[in-house]
Amino acid sequence: MIRAQTTRVRALVHSVLLTQRFFVPIALMLLVVETILTYAIIQRVSYTEIDWQTYMQQVHGVLSGERNYTKLQGDTGPLVYPAGFVWIYSVLCALTNNGTHVRRAQYVFMGIYLATQALVLMIYRRARVPPLVLPLLVVSKRLHSIFVLRLFNDPVAMLFAYAAVLSMTRTGIRRWSGLLLSLGIAVKMNVQLLLPGAAFVWWRTGGLRTTVVQLVVVALSQVVIAAPFVYAFPHEYVARAFEYTRQFNFVWTVNWRFIGDRVFASHEWALILAAAHIALLVALAVVVWPRLSHSTLPTIVRQGFTRRAHSDVSATEVAVVVFSANFVGVVCARSLHYQFYAWYAHMLPLLLVHARLPLVAVPVVWLVIECAWNVFPSTHTSSLALLAAHIVILVGIFRAPTHAKLS
């Protein structure tokens, strides 16, 4: 009798935590908890001014008629974000009485935060991520701070990025993924880190034609969004909005504190990171991504050219491919500032599950990453710990079994 009861309890626990049977009610419960928690944070934790007023000053310059990006400035620096940022923050400027009603802006970002969580949960549902790891999506101190206590533009960019990934998992709306991804890039260029993975998914789902069409959509929409600036001062716009050679301030680095200022600022170090990024993307394309569909890269390439691509690419494959492409970009980033955690924080639970780490290691690795992002200023120890955790995930991704099922 006792053994039978124990068996039933174990079966129930397994059903709740490791299968999709109760995913939806658990996800809805987490969204309710997040709504209450985020509202409480806004009410009880002081807002910290960092870039919001600078954003408003830059937007005011555009609204006053200036179209030369090199002349658009704010207290903390020049405008270095694409035109989508300008238009979205112009709306926020109007909604917040020229940026003076910060509390109203916080509520808007609370909505962005909850919308992002909802999109991520839908991706996880379609990718069959076990509910056991879902709490990791809602307990990040740093992530709440980035969204509702700092009002950075990174969350806005990632909202479009997750919408794009979700659209890739649904055949009926997959054609919109390029436009959605481009909208994210138009807010902040870090969303380009997802492009290699997105291109692989487009090739898998529609071959050469689909890939070319989606990339053209990405490029043309950038031109349309930035039309007033591209028409008036094209060189100035591209040089500022997509400045790939930008030099970062060592003071704010989270990931490379242990290498020292001299190495951090060197051209050689930048080349090493760029080479590592390219090498890891190639390795993913050759080793990891094809085995998600029990295939090989030559076969996938051949299918794309002969129009025998597969429209039934699983949501798990889509999520792992795009998330891992973004992850290696983060690992090899020239510098990670505190707000950049939003670039991949919501992807970590899925990547940790896919890496097939021992169950006890999943929250441990996540906690190491979370703690590293909450050390200010960063230290040699915190940046080394962050790198070590990233390497653990990378190794797990490359060693994961060939099957794509996560639960």
Side-chain angles (χ1 to χ4, degrees), residues 96-221:
T96 59
N97 192 23
N98 292 318
T100 59
H101 203 312
V102 175
R103 180 56 59 87
R104 188 178 298 163
Q106 288 181 281
Y107 289 138
V108 172
F109 273 82
M110 175 180 168
I112 293 172
Y113 179 76
L114 294 173
T116 301
Q117 291 283 36
L119 288 172
V120 171
L121 286 167
M122 284 188 278
I123 293 170
Y124 277 37
R125 174 73 175 96
R126 294 187 63 78
R128 303 188 65 80
V129 175
L132 178 65
V133 299
L134 296 186
L136 298 181
L137 290 172
V138 305
V139 294
S140 171
K141 175 183 176 182
R142 176 58 65 187
L143 206 56
H144 284 94
S145 174
I146 291 168
F147 275 79
V148 300
L149 298 180
R150 304 295 190 272
L151 309 182
F152 288 118
N153 62 336
D154 306 77
V156 182
M158 293 310 298
L159 177 66
F160 289 112
Y162 288 117
V165 175
L166 180 62
S167 73
M168 291 179 204
T169 70
R170 303 179 68 93
T171 304
I173 58 174
R174 190 173 287 154
R175 63 183 178 276
W176 297 104
S177 58
L179 178 59
L180 289 167
L181 201 62
S182 186
L183 291 174
I185 295 171
V187 177
K188 194 163 186 176
M189 59 186 283
N190 71 280
V191 179
Q192 292 175 101
L193 295 177
L194 281 69
L195 267 177
F200 186 91
V201 171
W202 292 330
W203 189 275
R204 282 270 293 129
T205 56
L208 178 62
R209 180 178 179 276
T210 295
T211 305
V212 171
V213 168
Q214 292 292 351
L215 290 175
V216 168
V217 167
V218 171
L220 288 182
S221 56

Side-chain angles (χ1 to χ4, degrees), residues 30-345:
L30 289 174
L31 283 175
V32 171
V33 170
E34 274 286 56
T35 302
I36 297 171
L37 176 61
T38 308
Y39 180 80
I41 290 172
I42 293 173
Q43 298 300 315
R44 296 177 177 273
V45 182
S46 299
Y47 160 79
T48 301
E49 170 57 40
I50 297 181
D51 282 337
W52 172 256
Q53 290 304 322
T54 292
Y55 294 164
M56 294 298 102
Q57 292 163 359
Q58 293 164 348
V59 164
H60 285 152
V62 175
L63 296 178
S64 298
E66 182 59 68
R67 296 295 181 265
N68 187 336
Y69 248 57
T70 62
K71 294 183 179 180
L72 294 167
Q73 300 279 335
D75 288 341
T76 61
L79 175 57
V80 293
Y81 308 119
F85 160 84
V86 172
W87 308 133
I88 289 174
Y89 274 78
S90 295
V91 173
L92 291 174
C93 180
L95 291 174
T96 59
N97 192 23
N98 292 318
T100 59
H101 203 312
V102 175
R103 180 56 59 87
R104 188 178 298 163
Q106 288 181 281
Y107 289 138
V108 172
F109 273 82
M110 175 180 168
I112 293 172
Y113 179 76
L114 294 173
T116 301
Q117 291 283 36
L119 288 172
V120 171
L121 286 167
M122 284 188 278
I123 293 170
Y124 277 37
R125 174 73 175 96
R126 294 187 63 78
R128 303 188 65 80
V129 175
L132 178 65
V133 299
L134 296 186
L136 298 181
L137 290 172
V138 305
V139 294
S140 171
K141 175 183 176 182
R142 176 58 65 187
L143 206 56
H144 284 94
S145 174
I146 291 168
F147 275 79
V148 300
L149 298 180
R150 304 295 190 272
L151 309 182
F152 288 118
N153 62 336
D154 306 77
V156 182
M158 293 310 298
L159 177 66
F160 289 112
Y162 288 117
V165 175
L166 180 62
S167 73
M168 291 179 204
T169 70
R170 303 179 68 93
T171 304
I173 58 174
R174 190 173 287 154
R175 63 183 178 276
W176 297 104
S177 58
L179 178 59
L180 289 167
L181 201 62
S182 186
L183 291 174
I185 295 171
V187 177
K188 194 163 186 176
M189 59 186 283
N190 71 280
V191 179
Q192 292 175 101
L193 295 177
L194 281 69
L195 267 177
F200 186 91
V201 171
W202 292 330
W203 189 275
R204 282 270 293 129
T205 56
L208 178 62
R209 180 178 179 276
T210 295
T211 305
V212 171
V213 168
Q214 292 292 351
L215 290 175
V216 168
V217 167
V218 171
L220 288 182
S221 56
Q222 289 299 309
V223 175
V224 171
I225 292 169
F229 306 103
V230 172
Y231 177 78
F233 297 95
H235 174 74
E236 289 81 355
Y237 174 76
V238 174
R240 275 289 173 84
F242 297 96
E243 185 182 356
Y244 294 100
T245 58
R246 186 182 311 159
Q247 183 63 53
F248 291 94
N249 193 328
F250 185 67
V251 171
W252 298 106
T253 189
V254 177
N255 56 332
W256 300 123
R257 179 71 61 187
F258 65 91
I259 68 173
D261 194 359
R262 188 171 64 85
V263 174
F264 175 83
S266 68
H267 179 63
E268 293 76 12
W269 179 243
L271 290 178
I272 290 172
L273 291 175
H277 186 194
I278 294 171
L280 284 171
L281 283 174
V282 171
L284 286 172
V286 173
V287 177
V288 177
W289 297 343
R291 73 185 181 201
L292 292 169
S293 57
H294 305 282
S295 186
T296 63
L297 185 61
T299 299
I300 291 172
V301 171
R302 186 169 58 254
Q303 288 173 336
F305 279 118
T306 57
R307 297 187 180 182
R308 289 201 301 269
H310 298 282
S311 61
D312 59 343
V313 175
S314 73
T316 298
E317 181 181 349
V318 171
V320 171
V321 167
V322 180
F323 285 8
S324 60
N326 181 70
F327 182 68
V328 298
V330 171
V331 173
C332 298
R334 181 75 181 273
S335 183
L336 294 175
H337 293 181
Y338 286 91
Q339 63 269 34
F340 297 179
Y341 190 32
W343 295 3
Y344 76 127

